[in-house]
Protein backbone atom coordinates (compact mmCIF):
# COMPACT_ATOMS: atom_id res chain seq x y z
CA UNK A 1 0.00 0.00 0.00
CA UNK A 2 1.29 3.48 -0.83
CA UNK A 3 1.86 6.01 1.93
CA UNK A 4 -1.19 8.04 0.95
CA UNK A 5 -3.79 5.31 1.30
CA UNK A 6 -6.55 6.38 3.68
CA UNK A 7 -9.50 4.75 5.40
CA UNK A 8 -13.21 5.07 4.67
CA UNK A 9 -16.01 4.45 7.13
CA UNK A 10 -19.73 5.16 7.13
CA UNK A 11 -21.67 6.98 9.83
CA UNK A 12 -25.25 5.69 9.97
CA UNK A 13 -26.57 8.97 11.25
CA UNK A 14 -29.89 8.71 13.13
CA UNK A 15 -29.04 5.06 13.65
CA UNK A 16 -31.44 2.21 13.04
CA UNK A 17 -34.29 4.52 12.13
CA UNK A 18 -36.28 5.72 9.08
CA UNK A 19 -34.17 7.17 6.26
CA UNK A 20 -35.71 8.24 2.98
CA UNK A 21 -39.30 8.97 3.83
CA UNK A 22 -39.36 12.71 3.03
CA UNK A 23 -37.15 12.88 -0.10
CA UNK A 24 -38.23 12.98 -3.81
CA UNK A 25 -36.61 9.65 -4.49
CA UNK A 26 -37.37 6.69 -4.29
CA UNK A 27 -40.85 8.21 -4.55
CA UNK A 28 -44.19 7.63 -2.90
CA UNK A 29 -44.45 3.99 -4.02
CA UNK A 30 -41.67 2.93 -1.62
CA UNK A 31 -42.90 1.01 1.40
CA UNK A 32 -41.89 3.59 3.98
CA UNK A 33 -43.79 1.92 6.81
CA UNK A 34 -41.31 -0.99 6.71
CA UNK A 35 -38.26 1.11 7.66
CA UNK A 36 -37.59 -1.18 10.64
CA UNK A 37 -36.98 -4.18 8.38
CA UNK A 38 -33.27 -4.34 7.65
CA UNK A 39 -33.48 -4.38 3.80
CA UNK A 40 -32.05 -0.91 3.16
CA UNK A 41 -29.36 -1.45 5.80
CA UNK A 42 -28.38 -4.75 4.17
CA UNK A 43 -27.97 -2.96 0.83
CA UNK A 44 -25.87 -0.38 2.63
CA UNK A 45 -23.64 -3.02 4.24
CA UNK A 46 -23.15 -4.96 0.98
CA UNK A 47 -22.25 -1.73 -0.82
CA UNK A 48 -19.81 -0.71 1.92
CA UNK A 49 -18.09 -4.06 1.63
CA UNK A 50 -17.97 -3.86 -2.18
CA UNK A 51 -16.27 -0.50 -1.72
CA UNK A 52 -13.90 -1.94 0.93
CA UNK A 53 -14.92 0.43 3.74
CA UNK A 54 -13.33 -0.28 7.11
CA UNK A 55 -16.49 0.01 9.16
CA UNK A 56 -20.01 1.30 9.66
CA UNK A 57 -21.02 3.05 12.90
CA UNK A 58 -24.64 2.67 13.92
CA UNK A 59 -25.39 5.91 15.73
CA UNK A 60 -27.70 5.76 18.73
CA UNK A 61 -29.46 7.63 21.51
CA UNK A 62 -32.27 6.38 23.67
CA UNK A 63 -34.95 8.97 24.17
CA UNK A 64 -37.69 10.91 22.43
CA UNK A 65 -36.07 14.35 22.70
CA UNK A 66 -38.02 17.36 23.96
CA UNK A 67 -35.39 20.11 24.26
CA UNK A 68 -36.67 22.31 21.40
CA UNK A 69 -39.62 24.45 22.59
CA UNK A 70 -39.88 22.06 25.55
CA UNK A 71 -41.87 19.63 23.37
CA UNK A 72 -41.26 16.41 21.47
CA UNK A 73 -43.49 17.52 18.57
CA UNK A 74 -40.77 18.75 16.18
CA UNK A 75 -38.72 15.59 16.65
CA UNK A 76 -41.70 13.37 15.96
CA UNK A 77 -42.85 15.53 13.04
CA UNK A 78 -39.55 14.97 11.20
CA UNK A 79 -38.54 11.58 12.64
CA UNK A 80 -35.49 13.51 13.89
CA UNK A 81 -33.47 11.33 16.23
CA UNK A 82 -36.58 9.31 16.97
CA UNK A 83 -37.78 6.64 16.39
CA UNK A 84 -34.72 4.40 16.60
CA UNK A 85 -34.43 0.68 17.14
CA UNK A 86 -31.62 -0.87 19.16
CA UNK A 87 -28.38 -0.86 17.11
CA UNK A 88 -27.15 -4.18 18.57
CA UNK A 89 -30.18 -5.90 17.00
CA UNK A 90 -29.12 -4.78 13.51
CA UNK A 91 -25.54 -6.08 13.83
CA UNK A 92 -26.17 -9.82 13.25
CA UNK A 93 -28.22 -9.03 10.12
CA UNK A 94 -25.38 -6.92 8.71
CA UNK A 95 -22.87 -9.61 9.69
CA UNK A 96 -24.80 -12.25 7.75
CA UNK A 97 -24.76 -10.08 4.62
CA UNK A 98 -20.99 -9.37 4.73
CA UNK A 99 -17.62 -11.01 5.43
CA UNK A 100 -15.11 -8.22 6.09
CA UNK A 101 -16.89 -5.01 7.05
CA UNK A 102 -16.34 -3.76 10.63
CA UNK A 103 -19.63 -3.32 12.52
CA UNK A 104 -19.69 -0.66 15.21
CA UNK A 105 -22.85 -0.21 17.31
CA UNK A 106 -23.11 2.79 19.64
CA UNK A 107 -23.43 1.82 23.31
CA UNK A 108 -23.38 4.37 26.10
CA UNK A 109 -21.28 4.29 29.27
CA UNK A 110 -24.01 6.14 31.19
CA UNK A 111 -26.77 3.76 30.11
CA UNK A 112 -25.28 0.26 30.19
CA UNK A 113 -23.87 -1.47 33.26
CA UNK A 114 -20.26 -2.39 32.33
CA UNK A 115 -20.74 -6.16 32.65
CA UNK A 116 -23.78 -6.11 30.37
CA UNK A 117 -21.95 -4.09 27.72
CA UNK A 118 -18.82 -6.26 27.93
CA UNK A 119 -20.95 -9.37 27.53
CA UNK A 120 -22.98 -8.01 24.61
CA UNK A 121 -19.90 -6.86 22.68
CA UNK A 122 -18.06 -10.11 23.41
CA UNK A 123 -21.07 -12.07 22.09
CA UNK A 124 -21.25 -9.92 18.96
CA UNK A 125 -17.52 -10.34 18.35
CA UNK A 126 -17.98 -14.11 18.54
CA UNK A 127 -20.90 -14.26 16.11
CA UNK A 128 -19.28 -11.82 13.65
CA UNK A 129 -16.00 -13.79 13.87
CA UNK A 130 -14.00 -10.73 14.89
CA UNK A 131 -15.66 -7.82 13.12
CA UNK A 132 -17.21 -5.88 15.97
CA UNK A 133 -16.22 -2.44 17.28
CA UNK A 134 -17.70 -0.29 20.04
CA UNK A 135 -18.69 3.33 19.48
CA UNK A 136 -18.13 4.42 23.05
CA UNK A 137 -20.29 7.43 23.94
CA UNK A 138 -21.05 9.08 27.26
CA UNK A 139 -24.50 10.44 26.16
CA UNK A 140 -25.33 14.10 26.46
CA UNK A 141 -29.08 14.67 26.58
CA UNK A 142 -30.92 14.89 29.91
CA UNK A 143 -33.91 13.09 28.37
CA UNK A 144 -31.84 9.92 28.02
CA UNK A 145 -30.60 10.13 31.62
CA UNK A 146 -34.21 10.46 32.79
CA UNK A 147 -35.03 7.15 31.08
CA UNK A 148 -32.42 5.43 33.21
CA UNK A 149 -33.53 6.68 36.61
CA UNK A 150 -31.53 9.93 36.86
CA UNK A 151 -32.68 13.55 37.03
CA UNK A 152 -30.26 14.60 34.30
CA UNK A 153 -26.82 13.85 32.91
CA UNK A 154 -23.88 13.95 35.33
CA UNK A 155 -21.59 16.98 34.76
CA UNK A 156 -19.78 16.82 31.40
CA UNK A 157 -16.27 16.07 32.64
CA UNK A 158 -17.49 13.59 35.24
CA UNK A 159 -19.17 11.59 32.46
CA UNK A 160 -15.69 11.04 31.07
CA UNK A 161 -14.37 10.09 34.55
CA UNK A 162 -17.10 7.45 34.69
CA UNK A 163 -16.23 6.37 31.13
CA UNK A 164 -12.55 5.96 32.05
CA UNK A 165 -13.35 3.53 34.84
CA UNK A 166 -16.07 1.87 32.75
CA UNK A 167 -13.73 1.23 29.81
CA UNK A 168 -10.96 -0.02 32.07
CA UNK A 169 -13.39 -2.54 33.59
CA UNK A 170 -14.89 -3.60 30.25
CA UNK A 171 -11.48 -4.24 28.69
CA UNK A 172 -10.45 -6.28 31.75
CA UNK A 173 -13.61 -8.39 31.37
CA UNK A 174 -12.88 -8.94 27.67
CA UNK A 175 -9.45 -10.30 28.58
CA UNK A 176 -10.45 -12.32 31.67
CA UNK A 177 -10.19 -15.61 29.78
CA UNK A 178 -6.69 -16.34 28.51
CA UNK A 179 -6.61 -17.03 24.76
CA UNK A 180 -6.05 -20.77 25.29
CA UNK A 181 -8.41 -21.22 28.28
CA UNK A 182 -10.83 -23.38 26.28
CA UNK A 183 -9.24 -26.87 26.19
CA UNK A 184 -12.14 -28.86 24.68
CA UNK A 185 -10.53 -32.10 25.89
CA UNK A 186 -13.28 -34.74 25.75
CA UNK A 187 -11.19 -37.50 27.38
CA UNK A 188 -10.16 -35.60 30.52
CA UNK A 189 -12.86 -34.14 30.50
CA UNK A 190 -11.83 -30.49 30.44
CA UNK A 191 -13.91 -27.94 28.64
CA UNK A 192 -12.08 -24.90 30.01
CA UNK A 193 -9.02 -24.69 32.25
CA UNK A 194 -9.97 -22.88 35.47
CA UNK A 195 -6.42 -21.67 36.03
CA UNK A 196 -6.71 -19.64 32.82
CA UNK A 197 -9.98 -17.86 33.65
CA UNK A 198 -9.53 -14.91 36.02
CA UNK A 199 -12.03 -12.95 38.12
CA UNK A 200 -11.37 -9.22 37.76
CA UNK A 201 -12.37 -8.15 41.33
CA UNK A 202 -12.90 -4.55 40.25
CA UNK A 203 -13.72 -2.10 43.03
CA UNK A 204 -13.62 1.46 41.81
CA UNK A 205 -15.21 4.81 42.47
CA UNK A 206 -18.25 4.13 40.30
CA UNK A 207 -18.40 0.37 39.73
CA UNK A 208 -17.92 -2.98 41.46
CA UNK A 209 -17.65 -6.16 39.45
CA UNK A 210 -16.32 -9.59 40.33
CA UNK A 211 -15.97 -11.13 36.88
CA UNK A 212 -14.83 -13.05 34.94
CA UNK A 213 -17.09 -12.74 31.93
CA UNK A 214 -19.15 -15.91 31.47
CA UNK A 215 -17.91 -16.47 27.92
CA UNK A 216 -14.50 -17.15 26.37
CA UNK A 217 -12.30 -14.44 24.94
CA UNK A 218 -13.72 -13.38 21.56
CA UNK A 219 -11.74 -13.42 18.29
CA UNK A 220 -10.49 -9.86 18.77
CA UNK A 221 -10.38 -10.00 22.58
CA UNK A 222 -10.15 -6.30 23.15
CA UNK A 223 -12.37 -5.02 20.33
CA UNK A 224 -11.58 -1.73 18.54
CA UNK A 225 -12.98 1.28 20.35
CA UNK A 226 -14.34 4.22 18.42
CA UNK A 227 -14.74 7.59 20.14
CA UNK A 228 -15.72 11.18 19.30
CA UNK A 229 -14.74 13.30 22.29
CA UNK A 230 -13.99 16.80 21.05
CA UNK A 231 -13.61 18.82 24.27
CA UNK A 232 -10.36 18.92 26.27
CA UNK A 233 -11.68 16.21 28.60
CA UNK A 234 -13.11 14.30 25.64
CA UNK A 235 -9.77 14.29 23.83
CA UNK A 236 -7.98 13.17 27.00
CA UNK A 237 -10.35 10.19 27.04
CA UNK A 238 -10.28 9.33 23.33
CA UNK A 239 -6.49 9.57 23.02
CA UNK A 240 -6.22 7.09 25.89
CA UNK A 241 -8.74 4.46 24.79
CA UNK A 242 -9.73 4.85 21.15
CA UNK A 243 -8.43 2.89 18.18
CA UNK A 244 -10.33 5.17 15.84
CA UNK A 245 -11.48 8.71 16.56
CA UNK A 246 -14.27 10.38 14.61
CA UNK A 247 -14.73 14.13 14.49
CA UNK A 248 -16.53 16.90 12.65
CA UNK A 249 -13.68 19.43 12.22
CA UNK A 250 -14.89 22.05 9.75
CA UNK A 251 -11.74 23.23 7.95
CA UNK A 252 -8.60 21.57 6.64
CA UNK A 253 -6.51 23.51 9.16
CA UNK A 254 -8.90 22.40 11.93
CA UNK A 255 -8.63 18.78 10.82
CA UNK A 256 -4.86 18.90 10.84
CA UNK A 257 -4.70 20.58 14.25
CA UNK A 258 -7.18 18.11 15.76
CA UNK A 259 -5.28 15.10 14.46
CA UNK A 260 -1.94 16.42 15.65
CA UNK A 261 -3.45 17.17 19.05
CA UNK A 262 -4.86 13.67 19.66
CA UNK A 263 -1.70 12.04 18.31
CA UNK A 264 0.41 14.12 20.72
CA UNK A 265 -1.88 13.16 23.60
CA UNK A 266 -1.62 9.47 22.61
CA UNK A 267 2.15 9.65 22.98
CA UNK A 268 1.55 11.07 26.46
CA UNK A 269 -0.35 7.86 27.31
CA UNK A 270 2.60 5.79 26.08
CA UNK A 271 0.83 4.85 22.86
CA UNK A 272 2.05 4.71 19.27
CA UNK A 273 0.16 7.58 17.57
CA UNK A 274 -0.26 5.44 14.45
CA UNK A 275 -2.42 3.07 16.50
CA UNK A 276 -5.23 5.68 16.37
CA UNK A 277 -6.99 6.30 13.07
CA UNK A 278 -8.65 9.73 12.97
CA UNK A 279 -11.59 9.91 10.56
CA UNK A 280 -13.28 13.16 9.55
CA UNK A 281 -16.99 13.50 8.93
CA UNK A 282 -17.78 14.23 5.26
CA UNK A 283 -21.00 14.56 3.28
CA UNK A 284 -20.06 14.28 -0.42
CA UNK A 285 -22.57 14.91 -3.21
CA UNK A 286 -21.48 13.41 -6.51
CA UNK A 287 -23.38 13.55 -9.79
CA UNK A 288 -22.79 13.27 -13.53
CA UNK A 289 -21.69 16.91 -13.89
CA UNK A 290 -20.54 19.73 -11.61
CA UNK A 291 -23.80 21.59 -12.31
CA UNK A 292 -25.97 18.61 -11.42
CA UNK A 293 -24.09 18.10 -8.13
CA UNK A 294 -24.19 21.78 -7.24
CA UNK A 295 -27.87 21.91 -8.06
CA UNK A 296 -28.54 19.03 -5.67
CA UNK A 297 -26.51 20.69 -2.93
CA UNK A 298 -28.47 23.93 -3.48
CA UNK A 299 -31.76 22.04 -3.24
CA UNK A 300 -30.68 20.46 0.06
CA UNK A 301 -29.72 23.85 1.40
CA UNK A 302 -33.10 25.24 0.34
CA UNK A 303 -34.81 22.32 2.09
CA UNK A 304 -32.91 23.18 5.27
CA UNK A 305 -34.09 26.78 4.85
CA UNK A 306 -37.72 25.63 4.52
CA UNK A 307 -37.43 23.40 7.60
CA UNK A 308 -35.34 25.50 9.97
CA UNK A 309 -37.14 23.95 12.94
CA UNK A 310 -35.70 20.55 12.00
CA UNK A 311 -32.13 21.85 12.18
CA UNK A 312 -32.73 24.00 15.28
CA UNK A 313 -34.28 21.07 17.11
CA UNK A 314 -31.22 18.93 16.36
CA UNK A 315 -28.90 21.64 17.66
CA UNK A 316 -31.09 21.83 20.77
CA UNK A 317 -30.97 18.08 21.33
CA UNK A 318 -27.18 17.97 21.09
CA UNK A 319 -26.63 20.77 23.57
CA UNK A 320 -29.65 20.71 25.93
CA UNK A 321 -30.15 24.39 24.92
CA UNK A 322 -33.48 25.44 23.43
CA UNK A 323 -32.51 27.27 20.21
CA UNK A 324 -36.05 28.65 19.77
CA UNK A 325 -34.95 31.26 22.38
CA UNK A 326 -32.59 33.07 19.99
CA UNK A 327 -33.31 35.54 17.17
CA UNK A 328 -32.73 33.74 13.87
CA UNK A 329 -30.47 36.40 12.36
CA UNK A 330 -28.42 37.49 15.33
CA UNK A 331 -25.03 35.89 16.08
CA UNK A 332 -25.22 33.44 18.97
CA UNK A 333 -23.84 34.79 22.26
CA UNK A 334 -21.34 32.91 24.46
CA UNK A 335 -23.13 29.80 25.72
CA UNK A 336 -22.21 26.88 27.93
CA UNK A 337 -23.57 23.37 27.86
CA UNK A 338 -23.46 20.13 29.75
CA UNK A 339 -24.01 18.44 26.35
CA UNK A 340 -21.70 18.35 23.29
CA UNK A 341 -19.19 21.04 24.21
CA UNK A 342 -17.01 20.96 21.13
CA UNK A 343 -19.98 21.34 18.77
CA UNK A 344 -21.34 24.34 20.64
CA UNK A 345 -17.94 26.05 20.73
CA UNK A 346 -17.91 26.11 16.90
CA UNK A 347 -21.34 27.76 16.68
CA UNK A 348 -20.79 30.86 18.84
CA UNK A 349 -20.84 34.08 16.77
CA UNK A 350 -22.81 32.49 13.91
CA UNK A 351 -26.53 33.15 13.43
CA UNK A 352 -28.95 30.29 14.06
CA UNK A 353 -30.28 30.60 10.48
CA UNK A 354 -26.83 30.24 8.91
CA UNK A 355 -26.02 27.30 11.16
CA UNK A 356 -29.30 25.61 10.35
CA UNK A 357 -28.71 26.05 6.60
CA UNK A 358 -25.16 24.70 6.55
CA UNK A 359 -24.59 22.43 9.54
CA UNK A 360 -26.18 19.28 8.19
CA UNK A 361 -25.14 19.96 4.59
CA UNK A 362 -21.42 20.38 4.33
CA UNK A 363 -19.89 20.01 7.76
CA UNK A 364 -17.61 22.89 6.72
CA UNK A 365 -15.84 21.17 3.84
CA UNK A 366 -17.64 21.28 0.52
CA UNK A 367 -17.31 17.98 -1.35
CA UNK A 368 -19.64 18.62 -4.29
CA UNK A 369 -19.04 17.69 -7.95
CA UNK A 370 -18.29 14.80 -10.26
CA UNK A 371 -16.89 11.65 -8.70
CA UNK A 372 -13.44 12.45 -10.02
CA UNK A 373 -13.52 16.04 -8.77
CA UNK A 374 -14.60 15.02 -5.25
CA UNK A 375 -12.06 12.17 -5.18
CA UNK A 376 -9.33 14.69 -6.06
CA UNK A 377 -10.45 17.02 -3.26
CA UNK A 378 -10.49 14.19 -0.72
CA UNK A 379 -7.02 13.12 -1.76
CA UNK A 380 -5.68 16.69 -1.49
CA UNK A 381 -7.23 17.14 1.95
CA UNK A 382 -5.71 13.90 3.25
CA UNK A 383 -2.28 14.86 1.89
CA UNK A 384 -2.50 18.17 3.74
CA UNK A 385 -3.89 16.69 6.99
CA UNK A 386 -1.61 13.65 7.00
CA UNK A 387 -4.37 10.98 7.45
CA UNK A 388 -6.27 8.94 8.37
CA UNK A 389 -9.51 9.01 6.39
CA UNK A 390 -13.16 10.03 6.09
CA UNK A 391 -16.37 9.08 7.82
CA UNK A 392 -19.05 9.48 5.17
CA UNK A 393 -22.61 10.26 6.16
CA UNK A 394 -25.90 11.37 4.68
CA UNK A 395 -28.72 11.32 7.20
CA UNK A 396 -31.43 10.74 4.58
CA UNK A 397 -29.55 8.50 2.17
CA UNK A 398 -31.38 6.39 -0.38
CA UNK A 399 -30.24 3.62 -2.73
CA UNK A 400 -29.32 6.09 -5.44
CA UNK A 401 -26.94 7.87 -3.07
CA UNK A 402 -25.36 4.56 -2.09
CA UNK A 403 -24.64 3.75 -5.75
CA UNK A 404 -23.13 7.18 -6.35
CA UNK A 405 -20.71 6.66 -3.49
CA UNK A 406 -19.91 2.96 -3.88
CA UNK A 407 -19.90 2.76 -7.68
CA UNK A 408 -18.86 6.34 -8.49
CA UNK A 409 -16.81 8.07 -5.82
CA UNK A 410 -14.99 5.06 -4.37
CA UNK A 411 -13.83 3.66 -7.74
CA UNK A 412 -12.52 7.16 -8.54
CA UNK A 413 -10.57 7.10 -5.27
CA UNK A 414 -9.35 3.58 -6.00
CA UNK A 415 -8.07 4.61 -9.46
CA UNK A 416 -5.96 7.22 -7.69
CA UNK A 417 -4.58 4.62 -5.31
CA UNK A 418 -6.08 6.62 -2.41
CA UNK A 419 -8.14 3.81 -0.78
CA UNK A 420 -7.92 0.03 -0.61
CA UNK A 421 -9.24 -2.25 -3.35
CA UNK A 422 -9.41 -5.42 -1.24
CA UNK A 423 -9.38 -6.45 2.41
CA UNK A 424 -6.15 -8.05 3.62
CA UNK A 425 -7.41 -9.47 6.93
CA UNK A 426 -10.35 -11.20 8.56
CA UNK A 427 -10.61 -9.14 11.72
CA UNK A 428 -11.77 -5.55 11.88
CA UNK A 429 -8.81 -4.43 14.00
CA UNK A 430 -6.25 -5.84 11.58
CA UNK A 431 -7.85 -4.10 8.61
CA UNK A 432 -8.04 -0.85 10.58
CA UNK A 433 -4.35 -1.04 11.49
CA UNK A 434 -3.19 -2.15 8.02
CA UNK A 435 -2.12 1.40 7.05
C1 LIG B 1 -19.25 11.68 14.07
C2 LIG B 1 -19.82 11.67 15.45
C3 LIG B 1 -20.68 10.65 15.82
C4 LIG B 1 -21.26 10.60 17.10
N1 LIG B 1 -22.14 9.61 17.41
C5 LIG B 1 -22.80 9.64 18.61
C6 LIG B 1 -23.80 8.68 18.94
O1 LIG B 1 -24.10 7.78 18.16
N2 LIG B 1 -24.41 8.78 20.13
C7 LIG B 1 -24.11 9.75 21.05
O2 LIG B 1 -24.69 9.79 22.13
N3 LIG B 1 -23.15 10.67 20.76
C8 LIG B 1 -22.51 10.65 19.57
N4 LIG B 1 -21.56 11.60 19.27
C9 LIG B 1 -21.21 12.57 20.30
C10 LIG B 1 -19.90 12.25 20.97
O3 LIG B 1 -19.96 11.03 21.64
C11 LIG B 1 -19.51 13.37 21.92
O4 LIG B 1 -20.50 13.48 22.92
C12 LIG B 1 -19.43 14.68 21.18
O5 LIG B 1 -18.47 14.56 20.14
C13 LIG B 1 -19.05 15.82 22.10
O6 LIG B 1 -17.90 15.54 22.81
P1 LIG B 1 -17.32 16.62 23.82
O7 LIG B 1 -18.37 16.94 24.82
O8 LIG B 1 -16.08 15.98 24.39
O9 LIG B 1 -17.02 17.82 22.98
C14 LIG B 1 -20.96 11.63 18.02
C15 LIG B 1 -20.09 12.67 17.64
C16 LIG B 1 -19.52 12.70 16.37
C17 LIG B 1 -18.60 13.82 16.01
Amino acid sequence: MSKHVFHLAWFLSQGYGPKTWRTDWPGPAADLARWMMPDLFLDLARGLERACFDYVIIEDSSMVPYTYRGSHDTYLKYAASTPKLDPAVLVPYLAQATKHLGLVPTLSTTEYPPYLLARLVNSLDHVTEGRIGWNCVTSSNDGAAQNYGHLGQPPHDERYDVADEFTDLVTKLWEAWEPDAVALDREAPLFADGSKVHPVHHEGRYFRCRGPLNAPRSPQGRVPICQAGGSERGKAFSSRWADTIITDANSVAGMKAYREDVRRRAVGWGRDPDSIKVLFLAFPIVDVSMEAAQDRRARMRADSGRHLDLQLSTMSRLTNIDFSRFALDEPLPELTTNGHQSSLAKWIGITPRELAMTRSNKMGIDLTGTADHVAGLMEEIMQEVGGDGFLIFNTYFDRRYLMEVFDGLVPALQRRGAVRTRYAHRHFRDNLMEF
Side-chain angles (χ1 to χ4, degrees):
M1 288 276 181
S2 95
K3 262 173 68 181
H4 300 303
V5 182
F6 56 81
H7 298 266
L8 291 175
W10 182 278
F11 182 54
L12 186 52
S13 163
Q14 309 242 4
Y16 186 5
K19 297 296 156 206
T20 53
W21 71 282
R22 206 171 55 81
T23 53
D24 310 340
W25 199 90
D31 191 355
L32 302 175
R34 282 173 56 82
W35 61 265
M36 62 287 287
M37 301 315 289
D39 312 8
L40 176 66
F41 303 103
L42 296 183
D43 283 354
L44 168 69
R46 289 190 194 101
L48 289 168
E49 182 150 287
R50 190 165 76 243
C52 296
F53 274 53
D54 282 71
Y55 62 90
V56 53
I57 301 175
I58 310 166
E59 186 265 4
D60 196 38
S61 58
S62 61
M63 76 279 177
V64 176
Y66 61 89
T67 316
Y68 185 65
R69 297 189 188 281
S71 156
H72 60 210
D73 289 356
T74 310
Y75 300 96
L76 292 169
K77 170 179 162 190
Y78 289 110
S81 189
T82 191
K84 268 178 207 166
L85 304 192
D86 190 316
V89 171
L90 188 57
V91 168
Y93 288 98
L94 304 187
Q96 291 259 295
T98 53
K99 286 195 169 61
H100 300 283
L101 183 67
L103 304 168
V104 185
T106 299
L107 306 164
S108 170
T109 55
T110 47
E111 293 164 14
Y112 268 89
Y115 188 91
L116 196 59
L117 186 143
R119 186 174 190 217
L120 174 63
V121 173
N122 167 281
S123 300
L124 290 173
D125 200 42
H126 278 295
V127 298
T128 61
E129 297 189 284
R131 289 197 282 133
I132 208 73
W134 168 30
N135 184 26
C136 167
V137 300
T138 58
S139 295
S140 52
N141 190 284
D142 287 337
Q146 288 155 7
N147 287 337
Y148 292 89
H150 311 289
L151 293 175
Q153 293 288 349
H156 176 273
D157 285 8
E158 191 182 349
R159 293 204 295 277
Y160 282 109
D161 296 342
V162 174
D164 266 325
E165 190 185 323
F166 189 111
T167 311
D168 178 46
L169 171 53
V170 162
T171 51
K172 280 195 279 191
L173 287 166
W174 284 337
E175 293 174 344
W177 291 50
E178 292 183 26
D180 60 349
V182 177
L184 274 179
D185 182 340
R186 283 152 54 108
E187 296 301 314
L190 187 70
F191 184 87
D193 180 347
S195 70
K196 295 183 177 175
V197 179
H198 309 286
V200 300
H201 293 306
H202 177 89
E203 286 193 30
R205 187 161 156 217
Y206 302 103
F207 305 107
R208 298 172 80 103
C209 180
R210 183 183 185 279
L213 209 60
N214 58 337
R217 188 180 292 224
S218 68
Q220 297 183 107
R222 180 179 176 138
V223 312
I225 296 176
C226 172
Q227 226 284 321
S231 61
E232 284 301 302
R233 183 66 185 89
K235 284 184 285 193
F237 178 81
S238 62
S239 59
R240 178 174 176 194
W241 295 106
D243 301 284
T244 178
I245 296 183
I246 52 174
T247 181
D248 61 353
N250 54 4
S251 69
V252 176
M255 291 163 79
K256 190 171 177 166
Y258 180 90
R259 181 170 181 269
E260 282 169 5
D261 185 8
V262 291
R263 285 171 64 85
R264 200 169 34 244
R265 290 169 189 260
V267 173
W269 291 112
R271 299 184 62 189
D272 172 1
D274 288 336
S275 67
I276 303 182
K277 308 301 173 188
V278 183
L279 268 53
F280 299 94
L281 213 50
F283 178 10
I285 291 291
V286 293
D287 212 317
V288 289
S289 67
M290 292 297 284
E291 296 69 33
Q294 279 157 358
D295 182 53
R296 265 169 70 190
R297 182 75 78 189
R299 275 191 280 134
M300 280 177 193
R301 199 177 148 89
D303 186 74
S304 296
R306 272 195 302 278
H307 301 286
L308 283 176
D309 53 345
L310 167 59
Q311 309 302 334
L312 296 171
S313 65
T314 301
M315 291 157 53
S316 303
R317 170 178 66 82
L318 293 173
T319 55
N320 288 310
I321 294 170
D322 179 1
F323 278 87
S324 70
R325 283 176 18 214
F326 302 106
L328 272 177
D329 295 308
E330 283 177 24
L332 286 172
E334 280 297 328
L335 294 166
T336 53
T337 177
N338 193 32
H340 287 209
Q341 291 194 344
S342 46
S343 306
L344 185 67
K346 289 177 202 145
W347 302 345
I348 307 306
I350 307 175
T351 69
R353 188 190 304 276
E354 182 57 18
L355 272 172
M357 303 277 287
T358 54
R359 213 189 62 80
S360 63
N361 263 318
K362 288 195 297 162
M363 305 307 293
I365 294 161
D366 193 356
L367 297 173
T368 310
T370 61
D372 202 49
H373 174 76
V374 173
L377 286 176
M378 290 170 75
E379 197 178 20
E380 271 171 36
I381 292 169
M382 273 299 117
Q383 272 164 9
E384 174 63 23
V385 173
D388 299 294
F390 291 97
L391 179 68
I392 295 181
F393 87 107
N394 172 356
T395 306
Y396 299 102
F397 71 88
D398 51 29
R399 287 181 169 87
R400 175 175 124 178
Y401 184 81
L402 299 183
M403 283 177 63
E404 287 161 347
V405 172
F406 304 146
D407 301 312
L409 177 59
V410 173
L413 286 165
Q414 288 171 332
R415 282 194 293 278
R416 291 165 179 268
V419 297
R420 69 157 68 85
T421 54
R422 62 176 186 83
Y423 293 97
H425 303 282
R426 287 183 57 193
H427 293 168
F428 169 33
R429 174 182 293 283
D430 295 335
N431 284 318
L432 186 65
M433 295 303 154
E434 185 189 352
F435 46 84

